[in-house]
Amino acid sequence: MNCLLLLLLSASCVTAFVPPQSVMSRLRTTVCFAGGGFGVPAKKAPKKKTNKNSKSKSSVLSDMQVDKPPEQSSSTPKLDRFGLPIPTEDDIFPPLASDVLRIPATDSDEFKKEKVAEAIQHHIGVNLDIFDENGQSIHEENGSSRWKLKLLHQDPPVLSVENFFSEADVEKYKSMIESNEGSNGGGSGDAVQLSSPTFSSSLSLSRRTSTTWFCKYESMTCLLAKAQALLNVDLKQMEEPQLVRYRTGEEFSWHYDEIPAAQLRNGGQRLATLLVYLNDLEDDRGGGTVFRDLKPVVNESSKRKKRGSSTKENEDQLTVRPKSGTALVFFPAFKDGKPDPRTLHKGEVALDTKMIAQLWIHEQDYQASVPENNLQVDAASGVREELERLGINVV
């Protein structure tokens, strides 16, 4: 009877066999790090003598079926080291549907003021009272030509203003870049330099390799006064004025100018972008401002689109070439603060040095963070003097 009981117990042990804990540990390690994950590979343990008649742990492991991760084919999305799909450009910047309204401007010798008024009706717009029926400004600076307003795209509106900066203005801001080079807030004390390139995060594929100086309002009164005259906005709505330099090979890839929702507490959404080119770049030297989803100006006589860029890649996209003293104006959001995804744009790779002054206008009062103690009110008297010099009254 005892013998029969012992035999039954032995049989039950065989059918309920579980691999030793050490084997299960090795199995888990093999599955988790099959793709070459984190950590340093463990050193191999010295071989132990085993009984030829006993089944080794390795043979037990080999008998167990372990699924291998499927190999990626060219048709499957690329995965990062965590096994997650890597975002593509279309994921971050979805292509616009074909029925999204976009109306290019027409190239006409005759400036039509009512056409500009129609284009900007849903945005903070442009102060058309300072322009005559030919698009020329009613004021004239000493030694400089009058401003010339042009409509580059109808809907969404994109405009340029030729002669926005005089030669003296351009030289002043170019010298500020030189005097604050490498200062990181030192130098003349008028600007804080951000020289490190910024690259894409998990939320963006934008790549920026330029150098930016955040400037004190009181050192940029010419830009602020002309921006106030052109856009008819309050100084308190203005973000820190900036100077930007792109060296050969540098760029700012596709991006929107809108403010992320989490940061809207300071001034609300950006309603307007104003940038002024501080030097010329030839057509074959890159550096243009390219709008991905907007078409170039249509030549009214031939109904053919003007070539948008010197590069084949961007020739069917609205591209604004850098011209010293010319301002570019567009609107990242409507006047109610709703972002406009049609204004996706980039700064082409520059094959020569490119410099700009830029400014953003917010919905509400904006509080600057750099440089330290940077206040719009400190520029108020200087702005008034500039407006008086220009002969422009701002309500």
Side-chain angles (χ1 to χ4, degrees):
M1 180 60 116
N2 291 338
C3 292
L4 180 58
L5 181 59
L6 180 60
L7 180 59
L8 291 173
L9 290 173
S10 300
S12 65
C13 290
V14 173
T15 57
F17 172 77
V18 177
Q21 184 64 28
S22 59
V23 175
M24 291 304 293
S25 175
R26 290 170 58 193
L27 176 59
R28 285 194 296 270
T29 302
T30 303
V31 174
C32 292
F33 299 109
F38 299 117
V40 179
K43 294 181 180 180
K44 292 183 179 180
K47 293 183 178 180
K48 295 182 179 180
K49 293 182 180 180
T50 57
N51 190 331
K52 293 182 179 180
N53 296 326
S54 63
K55 199 166 188 178
S56 68
K57 294 177 181 178
S58 59
S59 63
V60 172
L61 183 60
S62 63
D63 288 344
M64 304 183 70
Q65 297 297 321
V66 181
D67 293 333
K68 294 182 179 179
E71 294 184 0
Q72 292 186 28
S73 67
S74 57
S75 61
T76 57
K78 293 184 178 180
L79 305 180
D80 62 18
R81 61 184 180 182
F82 302 107
L84 300 174
I86 298 175
T88 65
E89 186 175 283
D90 285 350
D91 292 328
I92 305 299
F93 310 114
L96 296 182
S98 58
D99 60 350
V100 173
L101 182 64
R102 283 159 287 173
I103 304 175
T106 55
D107 180 25
S108 174
D109 292 335
E110 182 183 359
F111 176 84
K112 297 180 180 179
K113 205 171 184 180
E114 65 274 11
K115 199 74 173 176
V116 178
E118 179 186 352
I120 62 177
Q121 61 181 319
H122 301 301
H123 302 80
I124 62 168
V126 169
N127 183 10
L128 293 177
D129 292 338
I130 63 173
F131 294 96
D132 62 21
E133 294 303 317
N134 298 314
Q136 300 274 357
S137 63
I138 58 177
H139 77 278
E140 185 174 0
E141 293 186 64
N142 293 331
S144 180
S145 301
R146 291 195 290 169
W147 296 357
K148 174 65 176 176
L149 180 65
K150 290 185 176 181
L151 184 63
L152 305 181
H153 198 272
Q154 177 76 25
D155 194 355
V158 179
L159 305 104
S160 68
V161 184
E162 296 179 0
N163 307 313
F164 188 73
F165 274 179
S166 66
E167 289 185 13
D169 298 334
V170 168
E171 291 305 316
K172 174 185 177 181
Y173 291 131
K174 287 168 71 173
S175 66
M176 280 184 64
I177 291 177
E178 294 172 0
S179 64
N180 285 284
E181 175 71 38
S183 62
N184 291 313
S188 65
D190 294 330
V192 169
Q193 176 181 329
L194 297 179
S195 56
S196 299
T198 56
F199 296 93
S200 62
S201 67
S202 59
L203 299 177
S204 173
L205 288 181
S206 297
R207 179 176 58 259
R208 186 174 192 174
T209 52
S210 58
T211 302
T212 301
W213 287 266
F214 285 74
C215 304
K216 287 189 174 181
Y217 292 103
E218 59 191 297
S219 69
M220 302 282 284
T221 53
C222 171
L223 172 62
L224 303 184
K226 292 185 176 184
Q228 190 172 39
L230 179 65
L231 301 173
N232 205 16
V233 293
D234 195 288
L235 279 177
K236 294 178 181 179
Q237 295 174 253
M238 297 181 183
E239 200 170 309
E240 299 97 330
Q242 299 175 17
L243 295 170
V244 185
R245 183 196 58 212
Y246 296 81
R247 285 179 168 145
T248 301
E250 295 183 337
E251 64 176 319
F252 194 174
S253 63
W254 296 120
H255 62 282
Y256 303 107
D257 279 356
E258 68 184 70
I259 296 292
Q263 300 175 23
L264 292 177
R265 288 175 295 179
N266 186 10
Q269 191 54 265
R270 285 171 171 170
L271 299 184
T273 296
L274 169 66
L275 63 87
V276 190
Y277 301 104
L278 300 180
N279 65 304
D280 297 339
L281 279 181
E282 299 296 331
D283 288 350
D284 61 348
R285 305 308 293 169
T289 305
V290 185
F291 294 85
R292 186 193 68 177
D293 300 304
L294 308 184
K295 300 299 183 183
V297 175
V298 175
N299 188 299
E300 197 171 48
S301 58
S302 64
K303 296 300 180 184
R304 293 180 62 186
K305 296 169 186 172
K306 282 189 171 183
R307 190 173 184 180
S309 171
S310 58
T311 61
K312 189 173 182 180
E313 177 188 0
N314 304 323
E315 65 183 358
D316 200 35
Q317 297 165 321
L318 175 62
T319 301
V320 183
R321 302 294 314 151
K323 182 179 179 182
S324 182
T326 294
L328 172 65
V329 182
F330 58 95
F331 307 93
F334 297 93
K335 58 185 174 184
D336 63 0
K338 181 181 178 181
D340 190 344
R342 300 175 298 174
T343 59
L344 179 70
H345 61 287
K346 71 175 180 179
E348 285 181 314
V349 175
L351 302 182
D352 288 318
T353 298
K354 165 188 167 184
M355 291 176 282
I356 63 174
Q358 66 186 20
L359 184 69
W360 281 286
I361 309 300
H362 286 251
E363 290 179 272
Q364 301 136 18
D365 292 358
Y366 173 87
Q367 184 175 355
S369 56
V370 290
E372 189 176 357
N373 298 320
N374 193 14
L375 302 172
Q376 292 98 329
V377 67
D378 293 337
S381 61
V383 167
R384 282 195 298 270
E385 291 175 4
E386 284 288 334
L387 290 172
E388 289 174 5
R389 182 179 67 83
L390 295 172
I392 300 176
N393 294 321
V394 177
V395 180

